Amino acid sequence: MQHQLRVIKPEDYFILDEPYYEPVGDEIAVFEAAYHHGLPILLKGPTGCGKTRFMEHMAWRLKRPLITVSCHDDLTSSDLVGRFLVKGGETIWVDGPLARAVRAGGICYLDEIVEARKDTTVVIHPLADDRRCLPMEKVGELLEAPTEFCLAISYNPGYQSVLKDLKQSTRQRFVALEFDYPGAALEQRIVEKESGIASGAARQLVKFAHMTRNLKGQGLDEGASTRLLVHAAKLMVAGVAPVVACKSAVAQALTDDPDMLTAINELSGSLF
């Protein structure tokens, strides 16, 4: 069977239904102000604290298509900008996600930017300053970004190292928004809304999360994220025992260390 290559058009990236998002500060107002002045945005915060959901909410709010790229070690500038491909005996140019977002006047969100190779991140510099353009050297084109285009990137400061850090030449081009896990009452409301779990169980899950977060730096790189709490809550709503849900959705996701697994499971057992 011959598989056909599906070309995703910019209109496919529009978010039609409002994504649920609970603001924790003035991040919406700052993002909108930056967007309307053509300023790129940097989101920084721990894993699973709501950065991606926030971007989906803002794309819906601003009525712009959202093109998300999950960055990784093998990401090249061609992966972002585009490349020549052979199709039907012809060599054709195919835009990458960054070029598609620029042409469509959309929002390009580069998630976990520090995971990309350092020479790759340089390609975004002309888009992230007053030039607001994307050099496409392979086709001899300089793609100018319309006023509707927005560049956003994110990273987790907790995972920074000498090898994986955001260079000053990159970060000083951006307006930065700092994210963290919400307060207990708000996090409980989020878990309830996202999973449909009862308020009492949601409250206990949030307590459990705070216990694991206190173990950060004492055997854990990160504590339980809000995302993991929602996963556990959904399992519980489906009939999985709370201790088993916490073990599968939280403990096993956080670590492989036998001693830490035992400690985390004991924490959930003390609450459920």
Side-chain angles (χ1 to χ4, degrees):
M1 177 183 290
Q2 184 177 6
H3 294 280
Q4 291 186 340
L5 180 65
R6 178 173 178 259
V7 178
I8 301 177
K9 299 179 181 179
E11 55 265 26
D12 294 332
Y13 292 97
F14 278 97
I15 297 173
L16 302 179
D17 299 321
E18 179 181 2
Y20 171 66
Y21 178 76
E22 290 273 6
V24 296
D26 51 10
E27 66 269 25
I28 290 178
V30 173
F31 190 104
E32 287 184 333
Y35 174 79
H36 290 303
H37 284 85
L39 303 175
I41 297 113
L42 163 64
L43 313 182
K44 55 181 180 176
T47 300
C49 69
K51 300 188 296 295
T52 299
R53 179 62 64 86
F54 172 71
M55 287 303 306
E56 292 171 350
H57 180 82
M58 294 310 301
W60 170 83
R61 194 179 184 95
L62 296 168
K63 296 180 172 56
R64 302 311 308 158
L66 174 65
I67 298 178
T68 300
V69 179
S70 296
C71 299
H72 52 82
D73 290 336
D74 296 325
L75 188 74
T76 67
S77 57
S78 293
D79 292 327
L80 290 178
V81 178
R83 53 166 51 91
F84 285 105
L85 295 177
V86 177
K87 183 181 179 182
E90 287 187 274
T91 301
I92 61 171
W93 173 263
V94 178
D95 279 342
L98 185 57
R100 288 202 304 273
V102 173
R103 292 189 196 277
I107 299 172
C108 186
Y109 175 46
L110 305 179
D111 190 22
E112 296 297 346
I113 186 71
V114 295
E115 296 296 331
R117 293 175 1 189
K118 290 185 181 295
D119 59 335
T120 300
T121 58
V122 175
V123 76
I124 70 174
H125 284 184
L127 279 172
D129 56 31
D130 291 340
R131 290 171 288 179
R132 282 180 59 83
C133 65
L134 178 63
M136 303 176 69
E137 298 174 358
K138 292 183 179 179
V139 290
E141 183 179 355
L142 187 65
L143 196 59
E144 294 186 0
T147 55
E148 297 86 358
F149 171 75
C150 175
L151 177 64
I153 64 176
S154 73
Y155 78 103
N156 182 349
Y159 289 157
Q160 283 191 100
S161 67
V162 175
L163 297 177
K164 290 188 176 182
D165 194 2
L166 198 59
K167 295 195 303 183
Q168 288 293 329
S169 59
T170 301
R171 66 189 300 157
Q172 290 201 24
R173 287 171 156 82
F174 289 80
V175 171
L177 289 172
E178 186 171 13
F179 287 73
D180 203 348
Y181 301 122
L186 178 55
E187 190 165 33
Q188 177 184 333
R189 187 160 73 243
I190 292 170
V191 173
E192 290 177 28
K193 174 72 175 180
E194 290 285 272
S195 67
I197 199 170
S199 60
R203 188 180 308 112
Q204 294 299 85
L205 280 172
V206 171
K207 286 183 180 178
F208 173 50
H210 281 268
M211 289 177 175
T212 66
R213 291 167 193 168
N214 289 334
L215 295 175
K216 183 177 179 180
Q218 302 178 46
L220 285 183
D221 292 329
E222 292 278 357
S225 66
T226 307
R227 178 191 295 131
L228 292 186
L229 295 188
V230 172
H231 290 175
K234 288 180 177 179
L235 292 181
M236 291 165 62
V237 169
V240 177
V243 171
V244 177
C246 290
K247 177 181 178 180
S248 299
V250 180
Q252 295 286 353
L254 290 177
T255 182
D256 294 320
D257 181 81
D259 293 333
M260 286 307 305
L261 284 171
T262 299
I264 296 171
N265 290 331
E266 287 176 353
L267 291 176
S268 64
S270 70
L271 294 172
F272 296 103

